[in-house]
Amino acid sequence: MSTPKSHQVRHDLLEAARALIAERGWTAVSTRTLAHRAGVGPGLVHYHFPSLRALLNEAALTGMAQVIDQTLTDLPRTDPRQGLDHLLGKLHSYPPDDPATVLFTEAYLAATRDADLRRGITDLLQRLRTHLTAWLDDGHIADPENTAHVLAATADGLMLHRSLDPHLNADQVAPVLRRLLNPPPQEEQP
Amino acid sequence: MSTPKSHQVRHDLLEAARALIAERGWTAVSTRTLAHRAGVGPGLVHYHFPSLRALLNEAALTGMAQVIDQTLTDLPRTDPRQGLDHLLGKLHSYPPDDPATVLFTEAYLAATRDADLRRGITDLLQRLRTHLTAWLDDGHIADPENTAHVLAATADGLMLHRSLDPHLNADQVAPVLRRLLNPPPQEEQP
DNA sequence: CTGAGAATTGGGCACTCGACCAAGACAGGT
DNA sequence: ACCTGTCTTGGTCGAGTGCCCAATTCTCAG
């Protein structure tokens, strides 16, 4: 699926797109700024891709898949409770305007109005959810599937709020998050 | 702060802006579509507002404040655990593309690149957090402040994922969310 | 070296954008 | 009736947009 050298420009365009989406926003990426950032002529965008929209979708989906895959391969080493702290640590080690973080939010929002992109992201989220569920399913955590759902949503929500709420502190928030993995308290039986 | 009748157009423009932000996205709102939606001439936008950006910021901030205030006034009636279910129910009763929901996400993202808007949203989030903290502080919930942080972030994350993950079900997710309010389990002391 | 196909360039087309402005409409007080 | 200041209109400006294409350069098999 790749002529080794000829597709170098294609790769550069996708990478430039990911950077520009994070820097200036999804809709602010134009064919000319994109080509300039990639160091090629403006006409090349529509030579390698059918449309700018298709380029942006492919750039976002491949970039997101990359981040997700790397996160997932790091997970199985640890048990869920330690792993949660590990995830939180990484989340807070990035700056609030971390390109990968912004790319996710930009893609989520763009997917609201693009059916193709929405399909791609839905598949990505399902894969993430499946692996998270398996990771959580150690017998000590109730309802791993929906726990994975909430974990994924909370992670994205925290990333959103991180750049808007200066009082958000990962160390202080970690104990609260860990409650999600706690067993349910004993039912009060009279 | 308002000449009673003359500012009707101003109000219409702000309302049209909120609708268009949700429908087409923050950056897709132009002076012409906005004026057309509000039923006025294109020139009026820059008569009542110094710039389109200022109009959008004011529209988003007032709209968000409205939603937050209404949510907060509903809260104190119930105790936190019942209230959480109530909140979840409302969250799921809206369609995935609920205008108010999309407006929040659009504003969050726009705030990434607009200092004024970011300040406004930060203030809004702090007010929300303060009230949530007071609401949670019933003596049975540990660390109400950071719990409020996580709750707010999780709510926004769930709203984001709701339109992208067809398997997300409020009823199944509710029990997991309620763990956030559970007391920490007894420390295992050897 | 030669020729063919792939890759690349820069400009052009029709369009939309935010901002601006001269001109007119409309009110209420005198 | 007239003036005054607020409000509204529709059009214009230069800049920027996605997409397209003739012309040029590059690459490599024969």
Side-chain angles (χ1 to χ4, degrees):
Chain A
M1 198 204 271
S2 59
T3 322
K5 252 189 179 177
S6 70
H7 284 45
Q8 173 67 29
V9 172
R10 228 186 101 96
H11 176 267
D12 290 347
L13 281 172
L14 289 173
E15 198 156 286
R18 284 187 280 267
L20 285 175
I21 289 172
E23 285 176 23
R24 313 187 185 183
W26 188 278
T27 57
V29 182
S30 72
T31 56
R32 285 173 248 275
T33 60
L34 185 54
H36 180 262
R37 169 69 72 103
V40 298
L44 268 193
V45 170
H46 287 85
Y47 177 80
H48 288 287
F49 297 89
S51 70
L52 180 63
R53 167 177 294 218
L55 192 164
L56 292 177
N57 287 0
E58 184 174 334
L61 285 176
T62 53
M64 295 169 77
Q66 199 174 332
V67 172
I68 289 180
D69 284 345
Q70 196 222 327
T71 303
L72 285 181
T73 56
D74 284 352
L75 277 188
R77 305 181 190 284
T78 60
D79 86 294
R81 285 175 182 77
Q82 290 177 12
L84 189 68
D85 291 343
H86 177 69
L87 278 184
L88 261 184
K90 293 195 82 171
L91 191 141
H92 204 250
S93 70
Y94 298 140
D97 57 345
D98 168 58
T101 299
V102 182
L103 178 64
F104 269 75
T105 314
E106 288 282 352
Y108 285 160
L109 210 38
T112 303
R113 291 151 195 118
D114 186 307
D116 290 334
L117 182 58
R118 186 163 53 249
R119 263 188 295 273
I121 292 186
T122 298
D123 292 348
L124 237 52
L125 281 183
Q126 286 208 27
R127 205 154 53 84
L128 171 65
R129 195 167 49 87
T130 304
H131 283 80
L132 267 185
T133 302
W135 177 65
L136 288 173
D137 196 1
D138 67 345
H140 298 282
I141 294 173
D143 198 353
E145 184 140 352
N146 286 301
T147 305
H149 251 139
V150 174
L151 262 189
T154 302
D156 279 333
L158 283 175
M159 293 199 301
L160 250 191
H161 279 214
R162 201 162 48 118
S163 53
L164 298 173
D165 196 332
H167 297 87
L168 188 60
N169 183 299
D171 294 333
Q172 296 178 352
V173 145
V176 178
L177 264 189
R178 215 171 297 126
R179 294 180 201 157
L180 283 175
L181 306 186
N182 284 342
Q186 298 87 344
E187 305 257 339
E188 304 177 17
Q189 292 180 351
Chain B
M1 197 207 269
S2 57
T3 324
K5 252 189 179 176
S6 71
H7 283 45
Q8 173 67 31
V9 172
R10 227 186 102 95
H11 176 267
D12 290 347
L13 282 173
L14 289 173
E15 199 157 285
R18 284 188 279 267
L20 285 174
I21 289 172
E23 284 176 24
R24 313 186 185 183
W26 189 278
T27 57
V29 181
S30 72
T31 55
R32 286 174 247 275
T33 60
L34 185 54
H36 181 262
R37 169 69 71 105
V40 298
L44 269 192
V45 170
H46 286 85
Y47 176 80
H48 288 286
F49 297 89
S51 70
L52 179 64
R53 167 178 295 216
L55 192 165
L56 292 178
N57 287 1
E58 184 174 334
L61 286 176
T62 53
M64 295 169 76
Q66 199 174 330
V67 172
I68 288 181
D69 285 344
Q70 195 222 329
T71 304
L72 287 180
T73 56
D74 284 352
L75 276 189
R77 305 180 190 282
T78 60
D79 86 296
R81 284 173 183 78
Q82 289 176 12
L84 190 67
D85 291 342
H86 178 69
L87 277 183
L88 262 184
K90 292 197 81 169
L91 192 140
H92 204 249
S93 70
Y94 299 140
D97 56 346
D98 168 60
T101 299
V102 182
L103 178 64
F104 268 75
T105 314
E106 289 281 351
Y108 285 160
L109 208 40
T112 304
R113 291 156 194 115
D114 186 306
D116 291 332
L117 182 58
R118 186 161 54 248
R119 263 189 295 274
I121 291 185
T122 298
D123 292 348
L124 237 52
L125 281 183
Q126 287 209 25
R127 206 153 54 83
L128 171 65
R129 195 166 49 87
T130 304
H131 284 79
L132 267 185
T133 302
W135 177 64
L136 289 172
D137 196 1
D138 66 346
H140 297 282
I141 294 174
D143 198 353
E145 184 139 352
N146 286 301
T147 305
H149 251 137
V150 174
L151 262 189
T154 301
D156 279 333
L158 283 175
M159 293 199 301
L160 249 190
H161 280 214
R162 199 162 50 119
S163 53
L164 298 173
D165 196 331
H167 297 86
L168 188 60
N169 183 299
D171 294 333
Q172 296 178 354
V173 145
V176 178
L177 265 190
R178 215 171 296 125
R179 295 181 201 155
L180 283 175
L181 306 186
N182 285 342
Q186 297 87 345
E187 304 258 338
E188 302 177 20
Q189 290 180 352

